[in-house]
Amino acid sequence: MPRKTSYISLDPKTPVGRVSLALHDVWGGNQRRMAEDVGVTQSAISQVVRGDKPPGRRLLELVAADTKVNADFVLRGIGGTAAAVSPEVLGGDWMVPVAASILPGHPLRHQSLLTGARLPVATFYRAESRYLLALQPSDPVVRAEGERVAPGDHLLMETDRELWVNNRMVLVGKLVALRLVGVSGIDFVLARADMDPMTRELAFDCFGVGPPAIPAGLPVRPIQMRKKSTPETLAPAESDSAQPVPSLEPAQAIRSEGGLARPALDDVAAFCILLIRT
């Protein structure tokens, strides 16, 4: 059994955090593979992520030079960890299922919400908990200043909740899928996750929904959902012909204030690990 990597920091504002996030997101926590790819020893990577030694300029440049990594992120903390992949360089034999809208959870549990299309992505990124979200012209994120995404782009979404429940810093700086609940029912939106400097809690800038930087983890009052208007279960994956129904996943108390949900960690449905441009 491989040894689990322990991170001293996953803060993208620090060099240590950026190297650690690259190890986590791009190399899946595999120090040996990362060391081989960037041309350093495994002990050099281990010393950085444990906090024993800060990364020097040479290490940062070697990590940034890897084609799987976003160099701007490693060197300056700009953007996401993984490099954007163009269709002409896509390879491998993993055909990823595509969704036109955000899934409530694991793609295998919500097959009726998939489009039926599949696109190839390098087998390095293969995981059954992932799917491609095709951005639509109506998605607010494509009109958001500074996001640099366009209709037709695809986001590789990770739905394995253990990755962020055990360490919320994994979400910082990422595009995330949020479940919002208000007076009109349930909605799933894209948001940019960040750390609120005042509360040190996660904050979400929800594109096209309410005010930005909605803090998570604050005391809020639960509200009751009317069963007829918002069913809490999705048709079984085996019955793909069934009418898609929003799913509450996981089944937690609904958070609301002023008619708009105040998202918390339990409301995260997925986060983006890779942008594929058209």
Side-chain angles (χ1 to χ4, degrees):
M1 180 179 295
R3 179 173 59 85
K4 183 178 180 181
T5 301
S6 297
Y7 302 92
I8 188 67
S9 171
L10 288 173
D11 186 350
K13 297 178 182 178
T14 68
V16 172
R18 295 197 291 271
V19 171
S20 298
L21 281 167
L23 168 63
H24 181 280
D25 294 350
V26 179
W27 283 278
N30 191 317
Q31 296 180 11
R32 179 184 58 79
R33 185 186 302 166
M34 180 181 184
E36 291 176 352
D37 286 354
V38 304
V40 298
T41 63
Q42 181 176 342
S43 63
I45 302 296
S46 181
Q47 288 174 353
V48 170
V49 299
R50 291 202 316 262
D52 297 339
K53 182 180 179 181
R57 183 69 185 181
R58 177 176 176 274
L59 176 59
L60 290 174
E61 290 176 346
L62 288 171
V63 174
D66 190 280
T67 56
K68 298 185 293 296
V69 177
N70 177 6
D72 282 341
F73 173 81
V74 175
L75 299 177
R76 291 175 286 276
I78 300 173
T81 51
V85 180
S86 298
E88 61 267 20
V89 301
L90 285 174
D93 56 3
W94 180 39
M95 301 300 290
V96 192
V98 177
S101 58
I102 295 171
L103 300 184
H106 199 294
L108 292 180
R109 298 182 59 187
H110 301 284
Q111 296 184 48
S112 60
L113 301 180
L114 297 172
T115 64
R118 289 179 177 265
L119 292 177
V121 172
T123 54
F124 175 84
Y125 294 103
R126 181 168 188 166
E128 295 301 325
S129 56
R130 298 171 180 176
Y131 69 96
L132 284 172
L133 174 62
L135 295 180
Q136 308 298 312
S138 59
D139 290 336
V141 67
V142 304
R143 301 187 297 273
E145 184 178 356
E147 288 302 321
R148 295 185 295 180
V149 295
D153 287 349
H154 290 80
L155 307 179
L156 184 60
M157 305 299 290
E158 172 62 76
T159 65
D160 185 356
R161 298 186 68 253
E162 290 188 5
L163 294 179
W164 63 83
V165 169
N166 294 332
N167 194 334
R168 61 182 181 171
M169 293 300 295
V170 171
L171 301 177
V172 175
K174 302 288 199 326
L175 279 174
V176 302
L178 281 179
R179 178 191 63 183
L180 296 184
V181 182
V183 294
S184 60
I186 304 170
D187 196 10
F188 288 89
V189 301
L190 285 174
R192 178 69 69 179
D194 204 348
M195 186 65 68
D196 189 310
M198 301 296 293
T199 65
R200 303 304 299 168
E201 296 286 349
L202 276 179
F204 301 101
D205 188 350
C206 302
F207 302 112
V209 180
I214 305 173
L218 300 182
V220 293
R221 62 179 181 83
I223 63 173
Q224 297 295 324
M225 300 301 297
R226 284 181 287 185
K227 189 173 182 180
K228 289 184 179 179
S229 60
T230 55
E232 297 190 1
T233 58
L234 184 74
E238 294 79 14
S239 180
D240 287 348
S241 60
Q243 181 69 24
V245 180
S247 169
L248 291 179
E249 196 178 86
Q252 300 286 343
I254 305 304
R255 299 162 181 83
S256 178
E257 184 164 304
L260 178 68
R262 186 187 292 274
L265 205 57
D266 285 336
D267 298 310
V268 176
F271 72 95
C272 176
I273 64 170
L274 182 68
L275 166 64
I276 301 176
R277 301 189 187 280
T278 56

